[in-house]
Amino acid sequence: MAKYVAAVNGTTLKVHAQGKAMTVRMHGVATPDVNDPQPDLQRLGRESQIYLAESLRNQWVYVEFPNGEPKADANGVIEAYIYVNRGAVATFLNEKLVTEGLAIVNRRVTTPYNEKLLAAEETARASSRGMWGAFASGTGKEIAAGSQRQTYIGELQPSRNSYVSRWVSSYGGRY
C-alpha cells in the first residue's frame, strides 16, 4: 500500500510507501505529455493528469510491480500497476484510464493485462469517450467525479485531429 501524493502527469504518480517517496508510472498505458507543443495533445495530457489527481485525492493505492519488486529506470521512475479501493472493490486504475478514453494501450510493451487493456480501449472507442469522441464539454475532474461522461478531445480522424492520430499511431495503434 502507498499513500498518493501527486499526479506528475497522466500516467505518473508520486506516492509514499514504507517511509520513502517513490515515483511510479502506470505500466502498459500511455497519455500525451502535459507539455506537448500541440494544444490537443497537451489538453489530453492535462485532462488525464486532472483525472488522476481527482480520483486519488486523499487515497491509498495498491502498487503492483511487473517484476515483483520496484525497479527504477534511469530517471528514478518505477513501472507499476495501480489499484485504488472504492469501498470493497479494487479498481485497476491503468484500465480505468483507458476505459475513460484518457489513455491508450502502450503497444510498445507487453503485459499480462494486454487483453484486458485492449478491451478497455475498444470500449472507449465504441462509446466515443475521451480522445475517441467528438469535442464536447467534460473535464478530467468531472469524469473522475462521475458527473460527466462526454468527450472532449476530438474525433480521431487525420483530417480533424492529425496530431492525436499520429500520437496514437506512434504507440502501435492502427486507427
Side-chain angles (χ1 to χ4, degrees):
M1 294 296 290
K3 178 68 174 160
Y4 164 77
V5 176
V8 175
N9 60 37
T11 57
T12 308
L13 312 171
K14 290 203 178 279
V15 298
H16 273 109
Q18 299 177 347
K20 61 182 178 177
M22 294 193 311
T23 303
V24 294
R25 179 184 309 117
M26 290 185 198
H27 189 62
V29 299
T31 60
D33 186 351
V34 295
N35 297 313
D36 193 284
Q38 299 305 320
D40 286 341
L41 291 174
Q42 186 180 94
R43 183 171 180 197
L44 179 59
R46 288 190 196 283
E47 292 295 344
S48 300
Q49 181 182 22
I50 291 167
Y51 176 85
L52 286 179
E54 291 296 318
S55 295
L56 297 176
R57 180 177 292 155
N58 299 319
Q59 293 286 324
W60 286 85
V61 295
Y62 176 76
V63 182
E64 177 187 345
F65 305 108
N67 298 323
E69 57 186 76
K71 184 175 180 184
D73 64 14
N75 297 318
V77 179
I78 303 164
E79 295 287 323
Y81 305 110
I82 309 293
Y83 299 85
V84 62
N85 282 335
R86 302 277 187 230
V89 178
T91 299
F92 182 28
L93 201 55
N94 304 47
E95 178 186 20
K96 182 71 171 163
L97 209 61
V98 173
T99 301
E100 294 295 346
L102 296 167
I104 62 168
V105 178
N106 183 351
R107 289 164 176 81
R108 296 177 186 173
V109 299
T110 302
T111 77
Y113 303 107
N114 272 23
E115 286 185 34
K116 181 182 247 191
L117 293 170
L118 289 168
E121 187 175 277
E122 186 53 39
T123 297
R125 287 182 73 195
S127 302
S128 299
R129 289 189 188 151
M131 72 177 79
W132 307 108
F135 185 83
S137 62
T139 66
K141 183 176 182 176
E142 292 166 330
I143 293 167
S147 63
Q148 183 66 260
R149 295 199 66 84
Q150 293 194 13
T151 60
Y152 49 85
I153 205 65
E155 288 184 30
L156 194 62
Q157 297 174 3
S159 62
R160 294 206 47 204
N161 200 332
S162 60
Y163 293 114
V164 174
S165 297
R166 277 184 280 200
W167 178 79
V168 169
S169 294
S170 75
Y171 281 88
R174 291 174 178 77
Y175 306 102

